[in-house]
Amino acid sequence: MKVSLFITCLSDALYPRVGEAMVRLLARYGVSVHFPEGQTCCGQPAFNSGYWDEARKSAKTLIEAFDESDFVISPSGSCTGMIHHYYPKLFEDDPVLGKKAEQLRDKTYEFTQFLVNVLGVTDVGAVFPHKVTYHPSCHGSRLLGVKQEPLQLMQQVKGLDLIPLPFAEDCCGFGGTFAVKMCDISGAMVTEKTDHVLETDAEVLVGLDLGCLLNISGNLHFRGKPVKVMHLAELLYEGVMTGEHR
């Protein structure tokens, strides 16, 4: 099984520990993760802004980087959703790249999808005795249908008290370029989202998309609220380490 890590821009630049957590968790199940250095941005910012030619250049680079991989895994439902839903569209008039785009789509998974649906793992042996609430990101839950997998993983974590997030499926307001183009609306949306997070009295907010977590954690920090924000891969790996040292 040749598994490649698609790290994504935000993880690479701001949250490298998420990638490390993913690799270390997968290593526990005998999965050796390869990191193709030719990978780059998936092209989603350009695509969403209407610059499809520029998006094709990024997409072509990514397709070539993962051409030899059996599986591609990513810590982002958003970037994975871009590959699944829009790469075939970008290359629908190119028979060669169109086929390669479909092949990349079929072997690319968001992290929890791969862990639960491919490896068949729901209990990683984690211990995390904290009150946690979960934000289901729009692209992961709506574009990819990632709904039960993260919940299955969290339900098996010993000591974790999972508190439902009110209006959980409401967007946090990030939306990539939306947060820049419509900053006032975005700011109101993330303020509403953090209001609901604070209603839960959770110690930790967990999610699957770093754009959302960046947005929500920024608002919590601005408001002086001490809620820790984590990607699920980080929580699971921290929990595994806690369990092993007990």
Side-chain angles (χ1 to χ4, degrees):
M1 183 186 292
K2 190 173 183 181
V3 176
S4 295
L5 175 61
F6 169 35
I7 193 61
T8 77
C9 300
L10 282 178
S11 183
D12 183 42
L14 300 175
Y15 298 100
R17 287 183 300 178
V18 174
E20 293 172 10
M22 289 170 58
V23 171
R24 289 172 176 165
L25 282 169
L26 291 172
R28 299 172 63 84
Y29 299 98
V31 178
S32 179
V33 180
H34 175 246
F35 185 82
E37 294 186 4
Q39 64 182 282
T40 184
C41 175
C42 69
Q44 185 176 177
F47 179 83
N48 289 346
S49 298
Y51 296 100
W52 283 30
D53 288 340
E54 287 76 7
R56 284 189 190 92
K57 293 176 184 177
S58 293
K60 182 175 182 292
T61 300
L62 210 64
I63 288 170
E64 292 171 350
F66 294 117
D67 192 42
E68 300 298 321
S69 305
D70 296 329
F71 293 94
V72 178
I73 57 169
S74 170
S76 167
S78 178
C79 299
T80 305
M82 174 68 187
I83 292 170
H84 273 239
H85 287 269
Y86 302 119
Y87 271 30
K89 178 69 175 177
L90 280 172
F91 297 106
E92 62 183 354
D93 296 326
D94 186 321
V96 175
L97 283 173
K99 183 177 180 180
K100 286 183 176 291
E102 291 174 355
Q103 290 171 342
L104 179 59
R105 174 197 64 196
D106 294 342
K107 64 185 180 184
T108 300
Y109 292 82
E110 181 274 327
F111 173 66
T112 66
Q113 279 185 316
F114 183 78
L115 202 58
V116 174
N117 300 332
V118 178
L119 296 185
V121 174
T122 55
D123 188 349
V124 299
V127 176
F128 195 80
H130 299 283
K131 294 194 293 184
V132 176
T133 194
Y134 168 64
H135 167 64
S137 299
C138 298
H139 284 179
S141 60
R142 295 170 190 169
L143 280 183
L144 293 178
V146 179
K147 295 183 179 180
Q148 293 305 313
E149 294 90 343
L151 298 177
Q152 287 175 282
L153 289 162
M154 284 186 282
Q155 286 162 359
Q156 298 299 322
V157 176
K158 292 180 177 61
L160 189 151
D161 182 9
L162 184 58
I163 304 168
L165 179 63
F167 302 98
E169 294 187 356
D170 284 3
C171 178
C172 76
F174 181 65
T177 54
F178 173 81
V180 177
K181 295 176 181 176
M182 304 287 185
C183 57
D184 290 341
I185 297 173
S186 174
M189 291 171 73
V190 72
T191 298
E192 184 176 64
K193 174 62 69 173
T194 55
D195 284 344
H196 296 317
V197 171
L198 295 170
E199 284 177 37
T200 68
D201 288 325
E203 302 165 78
V204 178
L205 169 73
V206 69
L208 303 179
D209 249 306
L210 293 169
C212 303
L213 298 181
L214 176 70
N215 196 35
I216 297 168
S217 65
N219 190 267
L220 287 166
H221 178 74
F222 176 75
R223 297 169 70 175
K225 304 299 182 181
V227 180
K228 189 173 183 179
V229 178
M230 304 177 74
H231 190 280
L232 182 54
E234 290 179 290
L235 184 153
L236 293 175
Y237 185 66
E238 183 175 316
V240 166
M241 292 297 97
T242 299
E244 289 187 348
H245 288 91
R246 282 196 165 193

